[in-house]
Amino acid sequence: MRCWMLCFALLAAPAMAADDLAEMNAVSQAWDRYAQLSSRDDPASAALLAPSSLDYYLFLRDAARAASSDQVRRIPISDRLIVYALRASRSDAQLAELDGTGVAKLCQSRDWCGVAAPEEGESLPALSHVTLIGSDRAVGEFGPPTGTNFQFGPELVRTQDGWKVVAESLVNDESVQIARHAQQTGTSEADLVQFVLGEMLGDETETPAVASLEQPTRDDAALRASLNDRWPTYLATYKTRMAAIQRKAEDGDPLAQVTFGTMLYTGKLSDWVPQDKVRGMTLLVQASEGGNVAAATLVAGELIAGDDLPKGQPIPPERLARALPHLRRSAEGGHAMAMSELSLLYFNGAAGLKRDCRQADEWIARAEDAGYEDARNNRVWNLAVCPIPEQRDPARALALAQRMIEEQDRLGAAELDTLAAVYAANGRFDEAVALQKRALIKFEDPAETQTPKRARERLKAYSARRDWVQDYSVFETQPK
């Protein structure tokens, strides 16, 4: 099968014991030998296949002989092409004479499977890293980390004769890449299959219409039924890759920690990774402490807004303090929401931070540059109502609010509330009162989640020609 790769993420592995390094080298060498032989269409590459792969090729033979049209369509597209090619090029009697090794040799010699010969100037795909799983299984990777995905490649198993390639472990990757190519080129799957099949058969065999290949070469109900019992476990390779990620996480790889930790914490892949929130959070914290921004963002989010927090109550101070280093790491890593939340902590003097409106303004300005939608409103608010006299800047708040003022007819309750505070801070109390009344009307909308209580207090202050400062912490007076 051609190595069209579906990529998953990976970081460099930690130092390994000498025996592990020897096994990893043996795995790489086994793959290199297979890649060399199969890229030359050498049927000898069949000797480097795992026992499960020989059974898998026998399944493809029997699918070519007896699979119904519904069964054929159920086969991943890269294997479906092999089934079509077998039907187009061999009679039922000829297929019956082949065992699994014979089918593998035929596929290799006809360039239907294995590793594609490299283009000029390129080299064969080599394994950049190998992860050992137990004593008899390994997963290779085809390249360095992409930043978010592992570039997993083939599985190999250890037999009495050494490490062998599990050919079926690459079928899903190939099929995804074929489908993606069809989508990118605007080619229908049917047209792409017809074209690729023609390339596979070459000039030696006239390419029949794919529709005619939907029918089996023999009507054999028993053989057809047996296919369902022997159906390859195509998804099993993902479970093996999960095991590889777990191994990496346990070895301290930050990216594996965040990947496996997220699976454990969320339970979204519970069939493969049973949910374990405590263990998952431990791994995420370790990944964050190792510098992984994605992990830091997840940990901070769970600590500040997790489902385990008491409903209708402020966030416990110790939770904010635990969240702070992760939140800072996420903000420094460029996450806009984290920048906004860090600004909020500074403005309110929460999580052990000293209240600092200038630091708050710096972070909310960065959040705005990073695209955070509510950043301008929050920034204007902070400058207008900062309780530290030397850090309060009503004139700057008014200057930054000009676009909001121009678009005030489309603003929501919170934005109108902010504009009223800006006008009051600049001594324009009549305008502040008018805007605050409009804000209160919108606060009464059932869709609004913010309380109008303090907004009413602000209206009283503006009506009395007093401005208003936020001299309390929202983290102490209201739930998130």
Side-chain angles (χ1 to χ4, degrees), residues 288-452:
S288 174
E289 291 173 346
N292 188 283
V293 173
T297 304
L298 288 168
V299 172
E302 286 301 317
L303 288 173
I304 292 175
D307 293 337
D308 61 326
L309 286 168
K311 302 299 182 184
Q313 298 180 35
I315 303 171
E318 61 88 18
R319 285 283 289 254
L320 290 176
R322 287 169 56 198
L324 179 59
H326 304 286
L327 187 67
R328 187 182 296 280
R329 189 172 294 117
S330 176
E332 291 173 347
H335 195 278
M337 178 72 80
M339 295 175 189
S340 174
E341 199 70 23
L342 184 57
S343 170
L344 191 62
L345 292 178
Y346 270 116
F347 185 78
N348 287 275
L353 293 172
K354 181 181 178 180
R355 179 168 247 159
D356 189 330
C357 298
R358 291 197 178 103
Q359 282 287 328
D361 184 58
E362 287 181 16
W363 279 110
I364 198 62
R366 285 189 60 180
E368 182 175 20
D369 289 345
Y372 184 63
E373 185 176 358
D374 296 328
R376 176 57 63 93
N377 178 73
N378 295 350
R379 189 179 185 191
V380 170
W381 173 266
N382 293 353
L383 292 168
V385 303
C386 174
I388 303 172
E390 62 271 22
Q391 294 185 356
R392 193 180 185 204
D393 196 340
R396 189 163 172 235
L398 184 61
L400 288 171
Q402 288 307 302
R403 184 168 181 177
M404 295 172 64
I405 293 170
E406 294 169 3
E407 299 179 351
Q408 61 182 271
D409 289 341
R410 290 183 284 178
L411 299 182
E415 290 82 6
L416 291 171
D417 191 23
T418 295
L419 283 184
V422 172
Y423 279 126
N426 283 275
R428 297 165 61 172
F429 294 107
D430 292 339
E431 292 162 288
V433 168
L435 281 168
Q436 195 66 15
K437 288 180 178 179
R438 290 171 59 190
L440 282 168
I441 293 173
K442 292 202 173 187
F443 271 128
E444 298 295 344
D445 189 323
E448 280 290 342
T449 59
Q450 300 188 51
T451 174

Side-chain angles (χ1 to χ4, degrees), residues 7-14 127-131 139-153 244-245 248 253-256 259:
C7 293
F8 289 67
L10 152 74
L11 288 177
L127 302 184
S128 65
H129 186 74
V130 171
T131 302
V139 180
E141 296 135 29
F142 281 121
T146 65
T148 56
N149 294 317
F150 292 98
Q151 295 193 77
F152 282 132
I245 293 172
K248 290 176 180 294
D253 182 326
L255 187 55
T259 303

